[in-house]
Amino acid sequence: MDKKLLQNLYNKYYKELYIYAYSLSMNKTVAEDLVQETFLKALLSNPKEKENLRPWLYKIVKNLYINLRNKEKVFKQEPQFQDFEGDGLDFILKKEKDKLIFQAILNLKETSRKIIVMQFFGSMSQREIARQLNLTEGNVRIIVHRAKKEIKEFLEVKGYEF
């Protein structure tokens, strides 16, 4: 792979892939490793042949996470969102409001969390998400609607005013 192409991919997709990996693993170290390994796989393959690189990169992250989870008999998903200071999320989630919203997202069920992260952090369409997760577009719309409701309720409990 062309070094410049890899650098462009990294600059363009690192943050959203990191957030996606973190939403899967709930662990900053694992998320960093998943994203780094994703870009390593991209380096070793030929992404020029891929029509849409974003879903391909998301699929790599998801598959690496599944492989890791399957290797580890006990994969603890202990959210590390109490304090973002000094970790990779800190530079992404600069405002307290963003941190609170991300906490709400981390409290969602896994499928809802994946969809919300892909749609709002990854700017993927519901059609792309449906294809990526083998769901119907209608199902994705329903999950997004319910997840937004859960996020709103979480924020209200935390005292956030709309």
Side-chain angles (χ1 to χ4, degrees):
M1 173 196 273
D2 182 318
K3 185 177 180 179
K4 187 172 182 170
L5 176 62
L6 181 64
Q7 186 65 42
N8 288 340
L9 281 176
Y10 186 86
N11 292 338
K12 187 172 184 178
Y13 297 119
Y14 178 82
K15 289 180 183 179
E16 67 186 71
L17 290 173
Y18 179 83
I19 290 172
Y20 181 63
Y22 186 87
S23 74
L24 294 173
S25 66
M26 307 285 239
N27 183 298
K28 65 182 182 183
T29 305
V30 171
E32 290 167 358
D33 291 345
L34 289 171
V35 174
Q36 294 302 321
E37 195 169 341
T38 296
F39 284 107
L40 178 62
K41 285 192 176 291
L43 175 66
L44 297 175
S45 70
N46 191 359
K48 290 180 184 178
E49 297 172 0
K50 308 291 183 219
E51 279 186 33
N52 195 341
L53 294 175
R54 177 183 280 150
W56 178 67
L57 292 169
Y58 272 83
K59 190 170 194 160
I60 292 173
V61 170
K62 182 180 89 173
N63 289 339
L64 289 171
Y65 168 72
I66 290 169
N67 290 343
L68 178 65
R69 190 180 64 197
N70 289 340
K71 280 182 194 173
E72 313 253 335
K73 298 290 182 194
V74 180
F75 193 87
K76 295 181 182 177
Q77 286 192 335
E78 297 174 9
Q80 298 176 342
F81 53 74
Q82 290 77 16
D83 182 15
F84 290 125
E85 299 301 319
D87 71 13
L89 284 173
D90 190 45
F91 79 96
I92 296 170
L93 304 171
K94 295 198 182 307
K95 300 176 188 167
E96 284 302 312
K97 179 179 118 183
D98 292 344
K99 292 177 184 180
L100 189 60
I101 291 170
F102 196 66
Q103 285 179 353
I105 292 169
L106 292 177
N107 281 315
L108 297 171
K109 293 177 185 169
E110 184 175 359
T111 301
S112 299
R113 190 172 56 239
K114 284 181 194 177
I115 291 171
I116 291 294
V117 168
M118 292 168 94
Q119 182 171 345
F120 294 104
F121 290 95
S123 302
M124 293 176 72
S125 71
Q126 290 183 348
R127 173 174 283 153
E128 289 175 310
I129 295 167
R131 268 191 252 132
Q132 187 77 12
L133 299 177
N134 296 321
L135 299 169
T136 65
E137 284 183 63
N139 197 355
V140 170
R141 269 191 300 281
I142 290 168
I143 292 170
V144 167
H145 175 75
R146 290 178 182 162
K148 285 179 180 179
K149 186 177 176 183
E150 286 181 49
I151 290 169
K152 183 178 179 187
E153 290 170 0
F154 178 90
L155 294 174
E156 287 172 348
V157 167
K158 294 291 185 178
Y160 181 77
E161 294 182 22
F162 296 91

